[in-house]
Amino acid sequence: MQNKKIFLPLIILAGLLIVVLIMMVMPEERFVFNFKDNVGQWQTSPGTKVRADDDAIALRRANNNFIVVMPKINLGAENYDVAIIDMKQPVAHGGGRLFFISPYNQRFQHNFSLPFDTGGADKFNRIYIDLKRHPAWKGIIRALLIVPATNSDKMSLKSITFVQSNPWTKLRAWMSDFTRHYDPKLGTCFAMASPIFLGKTFNMWFIPILWWLLAIVLLILVIDHFSEIDPRIKRYSILVFFIIFLMLWGVLDLRNNVYYLKAMRRNANLYWGKTLWEKKGINAGDKEYIKFMRFCDENIPKEGWIYNFVPWELPGTASRYLSTTQFYYNMRPDFKRLFRKLEMEPKPYYVYYKPKDKKIKTLSQEQAVLSTSVDILPGEELLQGIRLWRDLKNLEQVSFISKSDEKAGVSILDEKRDKVIAKGKYLKKEKDRVFYEIVPIKKYGRNNPAYIRIANRGERPIDIGISYSTEYDEGNSIIKGKKDNRDLTFRLDYNTKGLKVFKKYNEEAFILTE
Amino acid sequence: MLYFFDKGKKLGSFENLSLSYLIGQGALTLILFWSFFFPFKFRVPSISIVIFILFVAFNRFSFVPRIKTGLRSLQTKNLIVVMLLVLIVFKLVYAFVETGSKPGYSWDASGNWTINSKIYYYVEKNFNDQVSWAITNTNNYPKMISIMHYWLFSWMGEADDQWSNIFFPLSLLCFIYLFYLNLFRARRDVGALFFTYVLISTPFYLYHSTIGYAGLSMSIYLSLGAIYFYRWVREREENYFWMFSLFFAMTTWLKLEGKTFFVLGFILLIYFMWRENMPDKVKRIIKYASTYIVIGLPWQILTIVSQMPSREKLAFHLKYFVVMHHKVYYLLFLNGTWGIIWIGIIAAMLIFYKRLFDKNNIYLALSLVLFYGIVLFAYLMTYDAYFYLESAFNRTWIFIYPLAVFTVGCIVPSWKELTNGKK
């Protein structure tokens, strides 16, 4: 009896081993695209430095665009269900992507791509990608594009192999998907995706099964309540449910533990040994930006009145709403309200970074958050409190979000809202943003409170974009005659006349002052 | 504080330590809050010295602690126990490594919590007589988290908003121990360790100990409030009543929702006193209310007197009732955030419903029902909360998640009972 107890696990283990060996030796078809041997059949992004390195190519990033394209691969999707990339990167467990062009798309697009985990750092990893997981992997695949992890400044590529896989290779691709590490993005604090299991999300596989099992168990309990059945039926049905539940839970937790191991490896690789500012630069996706913020903090006097003209749409940043890209969350806070309370008039400093127009013809002040819209009916108006960041004479235009074609009456009012200090003249509409040129009537200084007035003098409602965010603190809004907690989504554009450079970090980053 | 509340010296050393950390966090931030109204130099070192003197004067710790951990009763030779401990420790290590590696990158952590801390820190540094202005000129959120960051900035000598997040995984560590200890007292078997492991296994929950959001802290204080209420009901020791009251009161110092959770605790108390026909009901209510008067009410009054902008007002969106429940189902079961835990929780409550409504567990069940009522109220009857169906709604369930796991831990029988049918 004891011998049976010893032999049984051994037999099961041996059986599993045999099955795995059979899976491994089953035939499969492979098409290997070796990068070093196929020069001319692939391209990199402009400026990328390329050199041959043993049996691989070594690439070094030049700018934010770091890709490798195989523009005429012409692969039959039905013949290959797994891709294996042989790649080396200096950062562990980064998130790369494989883009493809199939009969369903004409250009490389995010939703026609497959993510992958780049594996351990500074060594060649064989990265398995389950191609069939994507529903558009069909027909002739005309072109492929590999994007390495965004934190990597260099990578080495040996080959990409397309495989008509045997069960073992397929299993490896599935495991790769299941345990894929990905950096949490901004939205992760709201929700986390279910891991991919055999081509579908884990929850979509098993939640319906668990609900059915639970329903059966509950049915048994109900039957037992009304007419007693064999208690073993009740007990075993409950046991079966919980055993299955615990098995699934165990598989999921095992996967989570692998994810945590990878995360710790990545953290050690990416962040350890770096200063806080270097880490912030990595996180913001723009190391130069963080260095520049530091430069501003060190050079602008502590009583400086800082106007932040860092554009929302920075390259490499996570989201236009992410506070970490903005000055006040990275360095010193905004003390404008304190200065007003103390009746101080510090010198203004305008912080500018990577302006789209390098000649800086305008400085933009905005409340950019857009949550919803409000309909302003004929005869009604919306007033938004503002503080001018420059003298009124320098204000050139105001814009806000509206889908209506109806023209509004736009003007700027003084603090008491009884005098018009500037009139607005309709200029243009670009997408949903409506622009009005501002013609000052009276003199009005910087930092003084004022109001943007948008009045509906027409016959049809005008919808105007507004925000629920409580971030904006330079004035209140009055919508349809009532004070409102919401704020207008707007932008004020000033000219740069009279401004001079206070300090320059580089050609794209500087501090201006009056 | 525990010296006064635990007159009978019922708390073990590690329980004392864990409770001290969590309650101390609340108390320390309250002291600092009040101190902001008096501009004086060397605020943090001065307060630290006073606290140290009080600690020495009322010290309950010897250097050879009485180890009443509950862990001694575990048979560590048991492979399952070792595995569970290893898994729990591994996950805690991950939380610490993640927090210690990455700077903050999430919206609320930057925009709601650490920005206020930086304001206090920089104002104190550069405009010391304006510190009281700083308190009333930030958002109307209660200040425990922000002031905790400020405290750590002051000790670090810079506004390092990465390392100041370390108090979150520390809070989690203390909570995990208290969760296990209290569940062990209810179950007296290795199931307590198993459910502790289940608690910490949900990635969404563990992740929230690394990103500087207040959700994890709120879940800790709310759950401990209910857990110590449960322990008071079972053991009738006065110190547990105070733990229950303090933790519920501290939820009001943590987030705006805390007020509704304090009312939840009040309903539990009223129901318990009515059910047990307790004497001195009014005295008991006054004791409970006094914790809010000391902890949460001053901030509430300050926000009203300072006319701080607030979105706390009624607005009915009852038509979203079905949409909301659709969202509940999707978020809790389908989209993967919570793994498969909620179906396990629901299954356990349905299958072992008789145990759920027994003499003591009824209060846990009531807490869960009341929480659900609060969620309905917040998302269907207040100003703009229903807009957060796409963002904050999922995180709302973090608050009640530990208590739900604790409840399941109290009602699910042991493995032996499940397999043999005998206790």
Side-chain angles (χ1 to χ4, degrees):
Chain A
M1 189 66 181
Q2 208 168 356
N3 286 344
K4 272 189 188 169
K5 278 189 180 174
I6 296 164
F7 279 126
L8 195 58
L10 282 174
I11 290 167
I12 294 171
L13 203 63
L16 279 169
L17 212 60
I18 290 166
V19 166
V20 167
L21 282 167
I22 291 170
M23 285 194 330
M24 284 173 84
V25 301
M26 279 172 77
E28 54 182 21
E29 202 178 299
R30 290 185 170 220
F31 165 59
V32 182
F33 182 95
N34 186 296
F35 286 91
K36 197 172 172 195
D37 297 340
N38 285 289
V39 174
Q41 290 189 47
W42 52 269
Q43 298 156 11
T44 61
S45 36
T48 305
K49 294 194 173 76
V50 184
R51 63 176 173 81
D53 192 21
D54 291 335
D55 55 349
I57 52 164
L59 302 118
R60 185 171 278 279
R61 180 197 288 268
N63 50 41
N64 282 325
N65 204 13
F66 187 32
I67 56 170
V68 172
V69 183
M70 288 148 278
K72 289 177 184 168
I73 193 94
N74 290 322
L75 213 58
E78 303 309 323
N79 298 331
Y80 306 106
D81 60 333
V82 171
I84 307 171
I85 305 179
D86 247 303
M87 177 196 262
K88 178 170 81 170
Q89 291 200 46
V91 179
H93 302 297
R97 283 199 100 90
L98 177 70
F99 291 74
F100 58 90
I101 296 181
S102 71
Y104 301 95
N105 57 315
Q106 303 307 312
R107 56 187 173 84
F108 293 117
Q109 291 167 272
H110 190 84
N111 49 345
F112 289 88
S113 68
L114 287 157
F116 58 84
D117 176 342
T118 58
D122 294 323
K123 63 179 180 77
F124 275 97
N125 296 293
R126 311 206 83 206
I127 299 157
Y128 287 74
I129 304 171
D130 179 13
L131 299 167
K132 283 281 190 211
R133 180 158 80 77
H134 200 294
W137 183 264
K138 284 185 174 124
I140 300 295
I141 305 298
R142 302 197 306 277
L144 288 169
L145 184 152
I146 299 173
V147 176
T150 50
N151 294 111
S152 292
D153 288 334
K154 53 184 183 180
M155 68 166 162
S156 295
L157 272 172
K158 269 188 194 167
S159 62
I160 178 166
T161 307
F162 298 93
V163 187
Q164 192 177 71
S165 62
N166 61 26
W168 178 245
T169 305
K170 192 72 179 180
L171 199 65
R172 291 191 74 168
W174 285 338
M175 280 300 295
S176 205
D177 264 339
F178 190 52
T179 60
R180 182 173 65 88
H181 177 270
Y182 52 89
D183 264 341
K185 304 258 183 282
L186 175 65
T188 311
C189 45
F190 307 150
M192 283 178 156
S194 182
I196 302 298
F197 185 77
L198 310 182
K200 228 160 77 167
T201 65
F202 190 90
N203 277 49
M204 288 308 246
W205 270 114
F206 295 109
I207 290 289
I209 295 170
L210 287 170
W211 277 125
W212 274 112
L213 281 173
L214 180 61
I216 293 166
V217 171
L218 292 175
L219 186 64
I220 291 169
L221 290 176
V222 165
I223 294 168
D224 178 64
H225 181 77
F226 289 109
S227 62
E228 278 193 33
I229 53 174
D230 187 339
R232 285 177 301 178
I233 297 174
K234 192 171 99 178
R235 198 161 69 238
Y236 290 143
S237 64
I238 293 171
L239 265 175
V240 162
F241 175 83
F242 280 113
I243 287 171
I244 292 173
F245 174 81
L246 285 171
M247 276 170 55
L248 294 173
W249 179 258
V251 165
L252 206 51
D253 195 57
L254 204 65
R255 174 259 170 199
N256 292 335
N257 291 335
V258 171
Y259 178 94
Y260 296 147
L261 266 170
K262 288 184 176 182
M264 286 194 278
R265 250 173 117 185
R266 179 169 170 74
N267 285 337
N269 194 228
L270 201 53
Y271 295 109
W272 290 10
K274 297 194 168 71
T275 65
L276 177 64
W277 311 114
E278 286 170 330
K279 290 181 192 180
K280 282 177 183 264
I282 293 167
N283 243 349
D286 192 337
K287 294 174 196 171
E288 275 305 300
Y289 167 74
I290 295 295
K291 284 183 190 166
F292 174 60
M293 289 294 102
R294 197 106 209 262
F295 173 82
C296 293
D297 195 44
E298 284 164 0
N299 285 282
I300 298 175
K302 71 174 187 220
E303 285 97 10
W305 193 294
I306 299 166
Y307 291 104
N308 183 7
F309 288 104
V310 176
W312 285 101
E313 293 86 13
L314 279 180
T317 55
S319 159
R320 57 180 286 159
Y321 298 114
L322 183 58
S323 300
T324 51
T325 64
Q326 296 306 306
F327 185 91
Y328 303 115
Y329 302 116
N330 271 305
M331 301 293 164
R332 74 182 89 166
D334 182 2
F335 286 129
K336 289 194 195 67
R337 277 189 295 164
L338 179 60
F339 295 148
R340 285 181 198 127
K341 186 227 174 197
L342 297 174
E343 292 177 359
M344 289 166 70
E345 276 282 345
K347 201 169 175 184
Y349 296 90
Y350 303 92
V351 171
Y352 223 96
Y353 181 72
K354 289 193 179 173
K356 280 181 189 164
D357 174 8
K358 288 187 183 172
K359 287 185 183 167
I360 325 162
K361 290 182 191 152
T362 57
L363 299 178
S364 297
Q365 167 193 355
E366 62 181 327
Q367 193 296 106
V369 178
L370 175 66
S371 307
T372 184
S373 65
V374 64
D375 281 339
I376 302 297
L377 302 174
E380 290 179 340
E381 58 186 32
L382 181 154
L383 289 120
Q384 176 61 52
I386 56 172
R387 290 262 180 185
L388 293 173
W389 284 13
R390 294 203 75 201
D391 290 345
L392 183 63
K393 66 180 183 200
N394 297 114
L395 179 61
E396 295 201 328
Q397 58 188 28
V398 66
S399 60
F400 53 90
I401 309 294
S402 176
K403 289 187 179 140
S404 306
D405 293 322
E406 199 80 1
K407 291 191 179 71
V410 173
S411 50
I412 308 287
L413 306 181
D414 71 350
E415 185 182 3
K416 289 180 184 164
R417 305 195 303 271
D418 54 9
K419 282 196 187 107
V420 175
I421 55 174
K423 285 188 179 167
K425 199 168 123 188
Y426 179 81
L427 206 55
K428 60 183 174 180
K429 188 172 179 185
E430 281 175 5
K431 289 185 184 170
D432 284 339
R433 186 173 280 273
V434 189
F435 292 82
Y436 283 77
E437 185 189 346
I438 294 297
V439 179
I441 298 170
K442 293 186 187 318
K443 271 188 182 175
Y444 211 69
R446 179 181 71 83
N447 196 32
N448 281 316
Y451 282 85
I452 301 168
R453 179 172 66 184
I454 304 170
N456 186 345
R457 310 226 191 278
E459 289 170 359
R460 286 179 296 175
I462 301 174
D463 73 288
I464 297 175
I466 53 173
S467 159
Y468 279 99
S469 169
T470 51
E471 293 301 303
Y472 181 74
D473 62 354
E474 296 198 333
N476 297 318
S477 66
I478 301 168
I479 302 178
K480 304 188 194 196
K482 285 186 196 156
K483 266 194 182 167
D484 207 296
N485 286 336
R486 300 168 295 179
D487 294 299
L488 175 69
T489 306
F490 70 89
R491 197 173 82 208
L492 299 170
D493 293 318
Y494 302 85
N495 62 39
T496 56
K497 288 176 192 165
L499 293 184
K500 60 179 188 226
V501 174
F502 168 68
K503 288 270 182 199
K504 205 177 199 178
Y505 179 76
N506 60 33
E507 291 307 313
E508 291 186 305
F510 35 78
I511 308 165
L512 306 177
T513 190
E514 298 277 0
Chain B
M1 284 174 72
L2 289 177
Y3 177 87
F4 292 102
F5 291 125
D6 184 28
K7 290 199 170 74
K9 309 287 183 262
K10 298 278 182 181
L11 300 174
S13 300
F14 282 106
E15 185 178 12
N16 200 321
L17 198 64
S18 304
L19 285 170
S20 297
Y21 179 83
L22 293 168
I23 294 173
Q25 201 168 272
L28 172 67
T29 51
L30 271 169
I31 293 168
L32 284 166
F33 164 69
W34 285 111
S35 79
F36 282 152
F37 293 98
F38 307 97
F40 62 94
K41 286 189 176 178
F42 311 115
R43 180 191 316 276
V44 164
S46 315
I47 289 172
S48 306
I49 289 167
V50 168
I51 290 172
F52 182 71
I53 291 168
L54 287 172
F55 171 74
V56 167
F58 295 105
N59 184 24
R60 293 191 61 238
F61 291 97
S62 66
F63 284 98
V64 180
R66 293 174 287 118
I67 301 174
K68 280 208 276 181
T69 60
L71 291 172
R72 216 192 302 170
S73 56
L74 293 174
Q75 294 165 0
T76 48
K77 290 177 192 169
N78 186 321
L79 185 62
I80 293 175
V81 167
V82 171
M83 248 175 53
L84 289 172
L85 278 170
V86 164
L87 285 168
I88 291 170
V89 167
F90 173 70
K91 288 173 201 298
L92 286 169
V93 165
Y94 162 76
F96 278 94
V97 168
E98 185 82 1
T99 308
S101 304
K102 280 185 188 163
Y105 58 90
S106 45
W107 174 261
D108 281 13
S110 303
N112 286 340
W113 307 114
T114 57
I115 183 63
N116 294 341
S117 327
K118 286 177 184 176
I119 289 172
Y120 311 147
Y121 178 72
Y122 281 106
V123 166
E124 188 185 48
K125 210 171 156 189
N126 298 316
F127 311 97
N128 192 27
D129 56 340
Q130 299 298 322
V131 175
S132 59
W133 168 90
I135 273 284
T136 52
N137 278 273
T138 48
N139 56 28
N140 71 328
Y141 292 6
K143 298 300 178 205
M144 192 200 293
I145 302 282
S146 301
I147 295 178
M148 199 61 206
H149 279 290
Y150 154 82
W151 167 259
L152 291 167
F153 290 165
S154 302
W155 278 109
M156 288 190 283
E158 62 171 325
D160 186 335
D161 56 3
Q162 182 217 310
W163 276 108
S164 65
N165 280 327
I166 203 69
F167 70 89
F168 290 107
L170 280 171
S171 299
L172 179 66
L173 176 64
C174 294
F175 174 60
I176 288 297
Y177 176 70
L178 292 170
F179 181 94
Y180 160 75
L181 188 74
N182 282 282
L183 191 55
F184 181 80
R185 290 180 88 93
R187 290 185 64 96
R188 298 279 166 192
D189 68 2
V190 79
L193 195 64
F194 172 74
F195 283 103
T196 307
Y197 148 73
V198 167
L199 170 71
I200 205 175
S201 295
T202 300
F204 194 58
Y205 189 67
L206 190 63
Y207 174 67
H208 272 261
S209 70
T210 68
I211 57 167
Y213 270 55
L216 180 102
S217 298
M218 183 57 106
S219 79
I220 288 171
Y221 285 88
L222 173 63
S223 302
L224 284 174
I227 287 170
Y228 275 95
F229 178 83
Y230 179 68
R231 191 154 161 195
W232 175 54
V233 159
R234 286 165 60 97
E235 298 180 28
R236 307 292 171 112
E237 295 286 343
E238 192 66 7
N239 56 351
Y240 305 137
F241 167 78
W242 285 111
M243 296 302 111
F244 137 69
S245 306
L246 281 172
F247 280 119
F248 268 114
M250 279 183 185
T251 62
T252 66
W253 181 225
L254 199 52
K255 291 192 84 176
L256 294 169
E257 300 89 305
K259 292 190 283 287
T260 56
F261 299 148
F262 190 77
V263 169
L264 188 159
F266 179 68
I267 294 172
L268 286 177
L269 179 64
I270 295 291
Y271 180 57
F272 171 66
M273 291 195 301
W274 166 75
R275 208 159 166 250
E276 301 288 318
N277 201 19
M278 277 186 90
D280 298 327
K281 289 186 181 64
V282 173
K283 207 171 155 188
R284 190 62 70 183
I285 289 171
I286 290 170
K287 279 184 184 175
Y288 179 72
S290 66
T291 54
Y292 175 68
I293 289 167
V294 170
I295 295 171
L297 190 60
W299 175 251
Q300 187 63 47
I301 292 172
L302 188 65
T303 58
I304 295 167
V305 162
S306 312
Q307 296 178 318
M308 283 184 182
S310 167
R311 294 206 301 258
E312 287 182 293
K313 49 175 139 172
L314 288 174
F316 292 93
H317 317 288
L318 299 177
K319 63 181 178 181
Y320 287 95
F321 183 84
V322 172
V323 167
M324 193 189 110
H325 284 85
H326 186 255
K327 201 80 188 169
V328 168
Y329 180 74
Y330 174 72
L331 289 171
L332 297 192
F333 298 99
L334 288 183
N335 92 331
T337 302
W338 294 97
I340 57 172
I341 186 60
W342 283 103
I343 199 170
I345 289 170
I346 300 289
M349 289 188 189
L350 288 173
I351 292 170
F352 304 109
Y353 70 95
K354 284 182 186 163
R355 289 169 175 245
L356 189 59
F357 295 108
D358 84 2
K359 185 181 166 211
N360 296 322
N361 293 336
I362 183 86
Y363 300 103
L364 297 173
L366 182 60
S367 302
L368 299 175
V369 169
L370 287 171
F371 178 81
Y372 172 69
I374 289 170
V375 170
L376 278 180
F377 167 71
Y379 281 90
L380 297 178
M381 298 182 207
T382 59
Y383 178 62
D384 60 359
Y386 76 98
F387 283 110
Y388 293 109
L389 277 179
E390 296 304 324
S391 57
F393 194 50
N394 207 5
R395 289 185 278 127
T396 300
W397 300 96
I398 286 178
F399 302 158
I400 204 63
Y401 165 67
L403 189 61
V405 176
F406 186 86
T407 305
V408 166
C410 289
I411 65 175
V412 169
S414 65
W415 187 254
K416 199 174 168 185
E417 209 180 320
L418 266 176
T419 46
N420 292 345
K422 294 174 197 165
K423 287 192 182 174

